[in-house]
């Protein structure tokens, strides 16, 4: 098959079927962050062999999940090679990529079951063992702790460099199949963290692509919990972006991936995500049922975090997410109760996380008519948010600023307005 024939076959195989115009728009977004840089006629010329898409090849491979290198015209794109190209473009271009429903659903395409085996048979110059796997997990934990405390904007470039230099060398090295599966799983965790960091910075499209790659690496490793967690990240993001039907589909796929796990924290994690998607979709019955099911799971979970990825889903995070789902269902007393539970009983030891809960609590208190409490909570939110770089913090401040004019002008209101001006002036 020629390159053009490969492009056409991959485009027509998409479900739902992708038109030339749709592909052109997706390619424009992948390369430049918005539509208008590629059109249907360009795609037509590539598919009919009238032009060779030299400059567009990396983006065609990314969007259509293809490997168009010589001798591999029919092969699906190798996940390791694809994520390294993404990491390289992340370092070099620093562009904003728009997230789309299509890219999120692309995660549900069939994964490459032979990916690890093929790399075992291939071999590379570096011998890799469990020491390298442990190193990736340690670095992921260290970088994740920093991001949880200070926001995703602080250290993402370090995580990307680590992925594209050290981890790439090991993924291309020599290893046994058991080590290879552990290696793919550890790489999936790191890629998921980078996606979370990008999302916390506000680069939603880049985050989405990292989460898709995290899911595929985990699925290829046979790690259902990691795969479900990556789908959970995509579903959560889709809710925030307003892609509600896509969010419901991804949340269902997440629950299906995780349904046989015996980890109660993982089950609570995935069920609350599914509940949030159902609430966003207006399905209050399903959302309430899943909330109850998540509560049952978390009540049976140990307080201390375990070794697995989803075992770090704490009782405090469960209480926060449950509170916001109750708020979406318009049960404000239950929402406030759960948010207080997150802060006062279970505690939240990360500045970023605690600040976000305080911002949400102030909003719920204001909706309940408790203006004095809301102002005091928002003051504590600004104290906690000092020095944190996160789009979630910025959104909390914007939300607060939009609601202050609704409150009677008092010294407390004026103080908050002045602090907002000072914070934004210092970060300009």
């Amino acid at each position: 098959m020629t390159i053009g024939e490969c492009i056409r076959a991959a485009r027509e195989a998409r479900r739902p079927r992708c038109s030339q115009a749709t592909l052109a728009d997706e390619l424009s977004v992948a390369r430049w962050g918005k539509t208008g840089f590629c059109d249907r006629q360009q795609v037509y010329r590539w598919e009919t062999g009238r032009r060779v898409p030299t400059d567009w090849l990396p983006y065609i491979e990314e969007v259509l999940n293809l490997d168009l290198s010589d001798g591999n015209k029919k092969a699906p794109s190798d996940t390791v090679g694809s994520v390294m190209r993404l990491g390289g473009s992340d370092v070099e271009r620093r562009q904003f990529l728009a997230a789309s429903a299509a890219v999120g659903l692309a995660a549900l395409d069939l994964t490459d079951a032979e990916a690890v085996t093929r790399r075992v048979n291939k071999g590379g110059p570096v011998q890799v063992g469990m020491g390298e796997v442990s190193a990736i997990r340690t670095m992921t934990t260290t970088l994740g702790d920093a991001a949880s405390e200070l926001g995703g904007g602080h250290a993402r470039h370090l995580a990307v460099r680590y992925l594209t230099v050290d981890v790439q060398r090991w993924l291309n090295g020599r290893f046994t199949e058991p080590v290879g599966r552990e290696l793919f799983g550890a790489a999936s965790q790191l890629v998921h963290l980078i996606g979370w960091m990008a999302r916390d910075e506000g680069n939603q499209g880049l985050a989405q692509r990292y989460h898709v790659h995290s899911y595929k690496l985990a699925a290829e490793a046979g790690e259902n919990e990691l795969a479900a967690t990556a789908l959970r990240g995509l579903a959560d993001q889709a809710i925030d972006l307003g892609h509600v039907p896509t969010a419901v589909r991804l949340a269902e796929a997440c629950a299906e991936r995780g349904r046989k796990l015996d980890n109660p924290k993982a089950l609570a994690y995935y069920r609350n995500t599914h509940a949030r998607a159902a609430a966003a979709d207006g399905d209050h019955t399903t959302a309430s049922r899943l909330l109850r099911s998540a509560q049952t799971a978390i009540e049976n979970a140990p307080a201390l975090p375990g070794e697995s990825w989803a075992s770090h889903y704490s009782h405090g995070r469960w209480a926060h997410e449950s509170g916001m789902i109750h708020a979406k269902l318009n049960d404000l007393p239950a929402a406030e109760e759960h948010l207080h539970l997150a802060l006062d009983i279970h505690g939240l030891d990360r500045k970023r996380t605690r600040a976000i809960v305080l911002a949400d609590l102030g909003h719920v208190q204001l909706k309940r008519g408790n203006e004095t409490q809301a102002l005091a909570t928002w003051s504590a939110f600004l104290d906690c948010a000092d020095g944190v770089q996160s789009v979630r913090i910025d959104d909390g401040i914007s939300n607060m600023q939009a609601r202050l004019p609704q409150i009677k002008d008092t010294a407390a209101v004026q103080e908050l307005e002045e602090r907002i001006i000072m914070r934004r002036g210092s970060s300009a």
Side-chain angles (χ1 to χ4, degrees), residues 173 259 278 324 326:
R259 67 186 176 85
M324 297 315 294
H326 280 295

Side-chain angles (χ1 to χ4, degrees), residues 174-238:
R174 300 190 311 276
F175 43 78
T176 63
E177 184 169 337
V179 169
R181 296 196 180 281
E182 294 286 345
L183 183 63
F184 269 53
S188 170
Q189 290 182 336
L190 176 62
V191 171
H192 183 91
L193 173 64
I194 296 171
W196 181 90
M197 289 173 158
R199 183 180 171 194
D200 203 46
E201 279 186 305
N203 196 333
Q204 301 291 346
L206 193 61
Q208 187 183 52
R209 285 162 175 80
Y210 275 117
H211 284 321
V212 168
H213 283 89
S214 174
Y215 167 72
K216 291 188 175 182
L217 285 167
E220 290 167 6
E223 292 277 0
N224 279 332
E225 186 179 302
L226 290 174
T229 302
L231 290 174
R232 184 262 170 201
L234 284 165
D236 197 53
Q237 182 187 34

Side-chain angles (χ1 to χ4, degrees), residues 4-126:
E5 289 169 340
C6 286
I7 294 172
R8 179 176 179 179
R11 176 179 61 79
E12 293 182 344
R14 291 268 294 273
R15 293 290 180 271
R17 187 169 175 173
C18 173
S19 68
Q20 291 176 334
T22 299
L23 176 58
D25 285 344
E26 291 186 22
L27 291 172
S28 290
V29 170
R31 185 173 184 183
W32 301 111
K34 59 182 179 180
T35 60
F37 292 92
C38 181
D39 58 28
R40 184 187 66 80
Q41 289 297 326
Q42 283 179 274
V43 176
Y44 169 77
R45 286 192 287 269
W46 297 336
E47 292 185 350
T48 56
R50 290 170 169 80
R51 295 283 190 278
V52 177
T54 305
D55 293 338
W56 288 90
L57 275 179
Y59 311 97
I60 294 171
E61 289 180 325
E62 178 184 327
V63 170
L64 291 178
N65 192 29
L66 287 174
D67 183 355
L68 296 174
S69 58
D70 290 342
N72 292 290
K73 299 297 189 296
K74 297 182 181 179
S77 177
D78 175 75
T79 302
V80 171
S82 180
V83 73
M84 293 307 163
R85 287 194 295 273
L86 176 63
S89 64
D90 183 5
V91 171
E92 294 163 9
R93 292 201 306 269
R94 293 291 181 189
Q95 70 200 32
F96 182 88
L97 300 174
S100 70
V103 173
L105 290 174
L108 301 179
D109 292 342
L110 291 176
T111 53
D112 184 1
E114 301 299 322
V116 175
T117 305
R118 189 167 57 251
R119 285 188 170 263
V120 168
N121 295 333
K122 173 184 174 183
V126 180

Side-chain angles (χ1 to χ4, degrees), residues 314-353:
S314 66
H315 291 71
R317 285 188 63 189
W318 163 81
H320 177 209
E321 291 183 352
S322 297
M324 297 315 294
I325 296 168
H326 280 295
K328 184 68 176 180
L329 298 176
N330 207 32
D331 187 351
L332 296 181
E336 184 168 357
E337 178 185 356
H338 278 81
L339 294 176
H340 277 300
L341 188 67
L343 292 167
D344 301 333
I345 299 178
H346 297 300
L348 296 165
D349 59 353
R350 305 294 187 191
K351 284 182 64 177
R352 174 191 170 277
T353 308

Side-chain angles (χ1 to χ4, degrees), residues 18 34 244 257 273 286 366 370 376:
C18 173
K34 59 182 179 180
V244 175
R257 271 277 177 182
T273 302
T286 299
L366 182 63
N370 299 324

Side-chain angles (χ1 to χ4, degrees), residues 115-424:
V116 175
T117 305
R118 189 167 57 251
R119 285 188 170 263
V120 168
N121 295 333
K122 173 184 174 183
V126 180
Q127 183 66 45
V128 182
M130 288 305 297
E132 286 73 22
V133 173
S134 178
I136 297 172
R137 289 175 176 158
T138 300
M139 281 294 292
T140 301
T141 299
T142 301
L143 291 166
D145 286 344
S148 295
E149 180 73 13
L150 300 172
H154 274 278
R156 184 169 67 83
H157 66 288
L158 297 177
V160 173
R161 288 287 186 186
Y162 183 63
L163 170 69
T164 56
V165 177
D166 296 283
V167 178
Q168 177 173 216
R169 183 163 52 90
W170 295 331
L171 286 167
N172 288 326
R174 300 190 311 276
F175 43 78
T176 63
E177 184 169 337
V179 169
R181 296 196 180 281
E182 294 286 345
L183 183 63
F184 269 53
S188 170
Q189 290 182 336
L190 176 62
V191 171
H192 183 91
L193 173 64
I194 296 171
W196 181 90
M197 289 173 158
R199 183 180 171 194
D200 203 46
E201 279 186 305
N203 196 333
Q204 301 291 346
L206 193 61
Q208 187 183 52
R209 285 162 175 80
Y210 275 117
H211 284 321
V212 168
H213 283 89
S214 174
Y215 167 72
K216 291 188 175 182
L217 285 167
E220 290 167 6
E223 292 277 0
N224 279 332
E225 186 179 302
L226 290 174
T229 302
L231 290 174
R232 184 262 170 201
L234 284 165
D236 197 53
Q237 182 187 34
I239 297 168
D240 289 342
L241 296 174
H243 302 315
V244 175
T246 298
V248 172
R249 177 70 186 92
L250 289 167
E252 290 171 345
C254 166
E256 179 63 23
R257 271 277 177 182
R259 67 186 176 85
K260 295 183 179 180
L261 298 174
D262 58 3
N263 181 348
K265 285 189 175 180
L267 296 176
Y269 199 23
Y270 307 147
R271 288 169 186 170
N272 249 12
T273 302
H274 197 177
R276 186 170 179 240
D281 199 34
D283 186 352
H284 290 197
T285 301
T286 299
S288 298
R289 174 178 59 81
L290 289 166
L291 272 174
R292 292 192 296 271
S293 180
Q295 181 171 348
T296 300
I298 202 71
E299 286 174 348
N300 292 320
L304 296 176
E307 294 183 1
S308 73
W309 191 246
S311 291
H312 287 75
Y313 184 65
S314 66
H315 291 71
R317 285 188 63 189
W318 163 81
H320 177 209
E321 291 183 352
S322 297
M324 297 315 294
I325 296 168
H326 280 295
K328 184 68 176 180
L329 298 176
N330 207 32
D331 187 351
L332 296 181
E336 184 168 357
E337 178 185 356
H338 278 81
L339 294 176
H340 277 300
L341 188 67
L343 292 167
D344 301 333
I345 299 178
H346 297 300
L348 296 165
D349 59 353
R350 305 294 187 191
K351 284 182 64 177
R352 174 191 170 277
T353 308
R354 191 171 185 85
I356 290 169
V357 178
L358 286 167
D360 289 337
L361 176 59
H363 185 198
V364 170
Q365 289 170 334
L366 182 63
K367 289 179 74 173
R368 296 193 70 193
N370 299 324
E371 295 181 355
T372 302
Q373 289 181 347
L375 293 173
T377 300
W378 278 338
S379 180
F381 157 59
L382 289 177
D383 290 340
C384 202
D386 188 34
V388 180
Q389 295 180 17
S390 167
V391 70
R392 293 285 301 277
I393 298 297
D394 295 339
D395 288 345
I397 291 173
S398 296
N399 182 33
M400 176 177 65
Q401 188 175 29
R403 284 165 173 74
L404 287 177
Q406 304 170 12
I407 305 173
K408 182 180 178 181
D409 190 18
T410 62
V413 171
Q414 292 173 13
E415 180 186 354
L416 286 176
E417 290 175 337
E418 290 171 2
R419 292 182 66 183
I420 292 171
I421 292 171
M422 289 178 61
R423 177 185 170 92
R424 292 193 161 156

